[in-house]
Amino acid sequence: MSDDRTEVTRQLGGTRAVEFDRALLDSSHAADPGEEAWRAMRIQGEFVNGFDILGKLGPAIAVFGSARLKEGTEAYELGFAVGRAVAESGFAVVTGGGPGVMEAANRGAVEGDGVSVGLGISLPFEDGFNKYVKLAVPFHYFFARKVNFVKYTQGAVVCAGGIGTLDELFEVMTLIQTGKVGDYPLALVGVKFWTPLIDWLRDTLKEEGTISEADVLRPLVTDDPAEAVAHATGRD
């Protein structure tokens, strides 16, 4: 690991950083005006740093997926295939920079001779960036990272994942539904994994009138990484 990667990995870790961030949303925390002002500056700094680095990135696709599904699982192999296909299509691969499916996509980008990017987040149970991230951007705040994800990618491929992956997926779907972003294609890889969610959207939310048919039909669901990437890159 290079000195630069060591430094950004250090910035992501540490119990003190996690406790400091948690205090932002803790209503019982006695806010110190000086501390709050410093936190506001830190938030601003995260946006400035992200915009400065990623503004030079060029065309890119976000790849979301579980940190828990390691090498040897179907999801990891699909993530690798997606990352490689994105790179071979001339787009950078942007993940959360962690292990599991994120590592797989970054690995695919590297082996596909593409640009491999990680937007890392400080978490108590993850240890910095995976070794396939070549451009590492550290964040402490999820909302700052989400803005950078959507601002600097032209579409997303979502692999199997848990609550964090669903959070990223529904964040994008909300931005699309509300017109906060324009054309931002979404592809979900794993028909067996994602079909129950799509069925729930259609059979429960749409039937109750809380979403429209367009919301249900928006994501492409496929088992084919190449089809998913073609959709996300607008080349289908």
Side-chain angles (χ1 to χ4, degrees), residues 61-66 75 78-79 82 101 155-162 164-170 172-173 184-191 193-194 197 219-222 228-229 232:
I61 296 296
V63 182
F64 301 125
S66 174
L78 286 171
V82 166
V101 175
V157 178
V158 188
C159 301
T165 301
L166 291 174
D167 177 52
E168 290 157 340
L169 169 61
F170 280 105
V172 172
M173 291 182 70
Y184 192 93
L186 278 170
L188 311 183
V189 179
V191 172
F193 185 89
W194 291 110
L197 175 63
L220 170 74
V221 183
T222 180
V229 172

Side-chain angles (χ1 to χ4, degrees), residues 87-122:
E88 290 175 347
S89 296
F91 287 72
V93 172
V94 184
T95 77
V101 175
M102 292 175 283
E103 174 191 289
N106 288 127
R107 182 178 178 180
V110 171
E111 296 195 18
D113 295 323
V115 178
S116 175
V117 183
L119 309 188
I121 192 79
S122 55

Side-chain angles (χ1 to χ4, degrees), residues 128-141:
F129 293 92
N130 69 68
K131 65 182 179 180
Y132 299 101
V133 170
K134 301 306 178 183
L135 178 60
V137 187
F139 290 89
H140 286 280
Y141 299 106

Side-chain angles (χ1 to χ4, degrees), residues 17-104:
V18 173
E19 291 177 349
F20 181 83
D21 296 340
R22 187 182 297 139
L24 173 66
L25 301 176
D26 184 356
S27 62
S28 65
H29 177 71
D32 174 81
E35 183 181 276
E36 294 296 280
W38 191 90
R39 181 179 282 112
M41 293 295 292
R42 182 178 186 176
I43 292 169
Q44 180 183 17
E46 288 206 350
F47 283 109
V48 171
N49 185 59
F51 291 177
D52 180 58
I53 295 172
L54 298 172
K56 310 176 186 73
L57 183 60
I61 296 296
V63 182
F64 301 125
S66 174
R68 303 186 185 195
L69 301 177
K70 309 295 186 177
E71 187 172 4
T73 64
E74 181 181 10
Y76 187 99
E77 298 307 316
L78 286 171
F80 172 82
V82 166
R84 181 159 193 152
V86 170
E88 290 175 347
S89 296
F91 287 72
V93 172
V94 184
T95 77
V101 175
M102 292 175 283
E103 174 191 289

